[in-house]
Amino acid sequence: PKVWYRRFLVKTRKFGSLDFYVSEIAFGGAAISGEGGGYGFGGISEKESIDLLHACFDAGINIYDTAPVYGFGESERRIGKAFHNRRDDVFLVSKSGVTWNSSKRIFISNDLKTTQMMLHRSLKDLKTDYIDLYMIHWPDSKVDIREPMKALSRAKKEGKIRFIGLSNPRLEDLKKAEEVDRVQVVQDEFNFFKDDLRETLFPLIREHNYGLMTWGTLGKGVLTGRVARDRKFDPSDCRSWAPWWKTSYLQERIDGIEKFQTFLKIAGISGLQAALGFNLGFPEVSAAICGIRNLDQLQSLLATLNSLPSPQKIKELRAEFVFSINSK
């Protein structure tokens, strides 16, 4: 398998101001949450997960994004087991702030104590003395972001984390966070459905030389056609219960994609080619997070990276996509 995958070695990009090049595809750790529950995408065994992580590493993917809520720690534990003997060869990303109570009810908390507790637990679960990039996962309306930033700044001085980042940040939070310590990477949703970052965040990325990781690259399967209108999801898949998924907005997206698929077929371009080509067509994007669930998906992803549409074709696809979404 190593020889086969090496034929499709993933390209790298400069990670903002960091003296580091990351693969243009980042592994999305929610894909291996398995039976753990929480935010995840269905059952996958520990062995399958570790084999998949090793295959991704052999393919040239060197950045692995996770969070405690992915499988209630299961994703982190599996990544830790996969790479504890290769620790310096991979760039690990985790987050604080999305936690849960004894009943596994998920909630956001960015208070100082929770931030310290979650970092300590992630270090343990990832089997590492340090995390390359540690991020505040979501804004917390009850807590000034400068409070958790104090904990992260202290942890950086202690060598427990190398770099600080903000995930899904409000622009005012970026400014406040920078009062405490340097923010070097941001992460947010960016895809055919949601491209407002071009107006809101891209100017700041260029000005401050932030690294940018984009999530939702494939629209959780909608953009590639894997999520059809009548698809049923496993109970361990958050798409089977999450209120943000079961909305009329999702149905509107599927309506638009069904129309768009017709255009893609005529153009001879797959949904995966369009989705990856869109994200990676922007130099502001350092790495596009993809939730890879098995070796077949990895093979498809690697092959697609070598056959992306031209920038002009992506522009045409984008115009047709907007028309498909907006037409009734």
Side-chain angles (χ1 to χ4, degrees), residues 34-321:
E35 69 282 359
Y39 183 83
F41 295 95
I44 178 174
S45 71
E46 179 178 289
K47 183 181 184 307
E48 288 172 324
S49 298
I50 292 175
D51 287 347
L52 176 60
L53 289 165
H54 288 167
C56 288
F57 176 83
D58 290 338
I61 297 175
N62 66 358
I63 181 168
Y64 296 81
D65 176 88
T66 186
V69 75
Y70 303 164
F72 294 125
E74 196 61 42
S75 172
E76 288 186 317
R77 288 188 286 271
R78 291 175 176 187
I79 289 173
K81 289 178 181 178
F83 296 127
H84 71 281
N85 289 327
R86 295 172 168 173
R87 178 62 190 90
D88 293 337
D89 296 325
V90 294
F91 194 99
L92 298 185
V93 182
S94 195
K95 314 174 190 78
S96 70
V98 181
T99 187
W100 58 92
N101 61 19
S102 58
S103 301
K104 292 190 173 181
R105 177 182 172 274
I106 298 170
F107 61 97
I108 294 173
S109 177
N110 285 340
D111 67 74
L112 195 64
K113 184 177 179 181
T114 299
T115 302
Q116 293 169 329
M117 178 271 293
M118 295 190 77
L119 172 59
H120 175 76
R121 185 169 59 197
S122 289
L123 286 166
K124 180 181 178 182
D125 286 347
L126 287 167
K127 295 182 180 295
T128 183
D129 296 327
Y130 69 96
I131 296 173
D132 296 287
L133 173 62
Y134 199 70
M135 314 189 84
I136 297 173
H137 204 157
W138 282 93
D140 181 352
S141 60
K142 303 181 296 297
V143 178
D144 188 312
I145 200 165
R146 287 170 287 201
E147 288 304 303
M149 278 294 297
K150 291 174 184 176
L152 300 194
S153 181
R154 187 179 308 116
K156 189 170 77 168
K157 290 183 176 71
E158 294 170 348
K160 295 177 182 177
I161 61 179
R162 295 177 64 198
F163 310 108
I164 297 172
L166 297 187
S167 180
N168 310 296
R170 297 174 298 202
L171 298 186
E172 60 267 28
D173 284 338
L174 269 169
K175 296 177 182 178
K176 289 181 180 179
E178 292 273 12
E179 294 175 14
V180 180
D181 207 329
R182 176 83 164 98
V183 174
Q184 291 181 276
V185 178
V186 292
Q187 183 180 120
D188 213 329
E189 182 179 12
F190 185 64
N191 53 42
F192 264 62
F193 290 121
K194 189 177 185 298
D195 68 337
D196 58 299
L197 297 190
R198 290 193 286 175
E199 301 295 329
T200 59
L201 196 55
F202 278 20
L204 285 176
I205 289 169
R206 292 189 291 266
E207 179 183 353
H208 297 279
N209 198 17
Y210 292 134
L212 172 63
M213 302 177 68
T214 57
W215 61 267
T217 307
L218 310 180
K220 295 182 174 58
V222 178
L223 282 169
T224 58
R226 290 182 56 82
V227 174
R229 192 179 302 277
D230 57 350
R231 177 170 169 180
K232 304 299 182 184
F233 296 98
D234 186 87
S236 60
D237 189 321
C238 65
R239 292 171 294 184
S240 69
W241 54 263
W244 46 262
W245 179 262
K246 293 184 171 183
T247 63
S248 59
Y249 183 50
L250 171 63
Q251 291 307 315
E252 290 173 3
R253 289 188 171 198
I254 291 178
D255 288 343
I257 283 298
E258 287 177 348
K259 298 173 186 175
F260 187 51
Q261 289 290 346
T262 301
F263 179 80
L264 288 174
K265 186 175 182 180
I266 295 171
I269 294 171
S270 70
L272 184 57
Q273 284 177 300
L276 291 176
F278 178 76
N279 275 47
L280 297 178
F282 293 94
E284 292 85 357
V285 175
S286 304
I289 301 171
C290 292
I292 305 166
R293 298 256 315 140
N294 53 55
L295 294 177
D296 287 341
Q297 288 185 8
L298 174 61
Q299 177 182 356
S300 177
L301 185 88
L302 297 174
T304 299
L305 287 174
N306 286 270
S307 59
L308 295 180
S310 68
Q312 178 59 35
K313 179 57 68 174
I314 288 293
K315 184 177 180 180
E316 294 171 5
L317 290 171
R318 175 65 186 170
E320 183 64 30
F321 177 81

